[in-house]
Amino acid sequence: ALAKTAASEKGGAQLWSETCSHCHNLRSPSSYGPYQWEVAVYDMRVRANLTGEEQRKILAFLKAASQ
């Protein structure tokens, strides 16, 4: 529970860099458009064991940064 509390205080950029870099070389958020990120983050939610809040924060960051 303590780890999830700490995660809820993190922003989308931090969650993205910490979580996704475990398995991926991080791409520039502009590599994909907003819809493509939506599909990718949705698909990865279960695989990466993301909470709904973490998924929303990461997606909001990637969509904003991909513009």
Side-chain angles (χ1 to χ4, degrees), residues 1-8:
L2 198 57
K4 290 297 179 190
T5 302
S8 69

Side-chain angles (χ1 to χ4, degrees), residues 33-55:
Y35 177 73
Q36 291 168 306
W37 280 123
E38 212 171 287
V39 172
V41 173
Y42 178 81
D43 187 49
M44 290 306 302
R45 179 176 175 182
V46 173
R47 290 179 185 211
N49 198 27
L50 298 172
T51 66
E53 180 183 12
E54 291 167 334
Q55 177 190 12

Side-chain angles (χ1 to χ4, degrees), residues 11-26:
Q14 186 177 0
L15 288 167
W16 173 68
S17 74
E18 291 176 0
T19 306
C20 304
S21 67
H22 286 289
C23 301
H24 299 282
N25 292 323
L26 295 179

